[in-house]
Amino acid sequence: MQKRMRNFDGVPGCSMEAALHILGGKWKGVILYHLFTDGTLRFGELFRALRGINQRLLTRQLRELEEHGLITRKVYPVVPPHVEYSLTEEGRTLHDLIMGLSVWGRGWLERRGMRTAKDEDFDVLKHAAEKRPALPNKS
C-alpha cells in the first residue's frame, strides 16, 4: 500500500518536525504506550484504557498511526466486527522513546506529589521501559 504524506505540504523543516508530526497530539503516544504494555488490543479495549477520548477521535488517531506504518489493523470477518491493533516493526522501534517518556512522566508527577488516575506500579513501569521488544530478523 502506498503511504500518503497528506499532512506534509512539503519536506519537513527538520527531523524533529517530522517526528512531532507523526507522534504529535495528546493520544498517539498513549495509544502506543498501551500497545507496548498490553500487547495487541481490540478497539473497545483501547477505548476503555484511554480516559477522556471519544470514539471518533480514537478512530482518527488509530488511522493516522496506521497510515504512518506504526500500527497494523486486523479485521476479523465476524458479526459484530472484531478489529485488533498491534505494533508494526517500525512501531516497535519507538519502545525506548515511549517507555522512557512514561518513566519521566511518572517521576515528574511524583516530584510534585501527584499521582495518575491508574495506580501504576513504578517498578513494573521501569522494568517495561528497560525491556526491549524483540524485532523480527531480516534475512
Side-chain angles (χ1 to χ4, degrees):
M1 167 166 46
Q2 177 72 21
K3 298 282 189 265
R4 295 182 297 164
M5 304 263 304
R6 68 183 168 117
N7 292 328
F8 283 129
D9 293 321
V11 177
C14 66
S15 56
M16 186 62 169
E17 184 181 339
L20 289 178
H21 166 75
I22 292 165
L23 296 174
K26 179 177 179 180
W27 298 107
K28 289 180 184 174
V30 180
I31 291 167
L32 293 169
Y33 167 81
H34 283 287
L35 291 173
F36 278 119
T37 58
D38 302 329
T40 298
L41 294 170
R42 293 178 69 173
F43 182 88
E45 292 171 322
L46 272 169
F47 183 66
R48 284 187 295 278
L50 279 61
R51 306 179 114 209
I53 193 170
N54 63 49
Q55 289 183 349
R56 183 173 177 223
L57 181 55
L58 176 56
T59 298
R60 189 170 75 221
Q61 297 288 278
L62 289 167
R63 285 183 182 158
E64 289 177 11
L65 288 168
E66 183 181 17
E67 184 178 305
H68 292 298
L70 301 179
I71 65 171
T72 60
R73 178 179 186 259
K74 184 172 183 179
V75 180
Y76 294 89
V78 295
V79 177
H82 177 106
V83 181
E84 290 182 343
Y85 295 91
S86 58
L87 293 160
T88 62
E89 182 176 342
E90 183 81 25
R92 287 190 297 271
T93 65
L94 291 168
H95 179 268
D96 293 350
L97 175 68
I98 297 297
M99 298 309 292
L101 279 171
S102 182
V103 169
W104 179 86
R106 176 64 182 260
W108 186 91
L109 289 168
E110 286 184 351
R111 288 187 294 278
R112 285 154 181 79
M114 300 165 65
R115 295 175 40 172
T116 58
K118 178 183 174 187
D119 192 25
E120 301 166 308
D121 184 330
F122 193 43
D123 291 330
V124 171
L125 183 62
K126 286 194 297 189
H127 178 69
E130 295 164 358
K131 185 177 73 174
R132 292 184 181 194
L135 294 175
N137 291 334
K138 289 187 177 180
S139 302

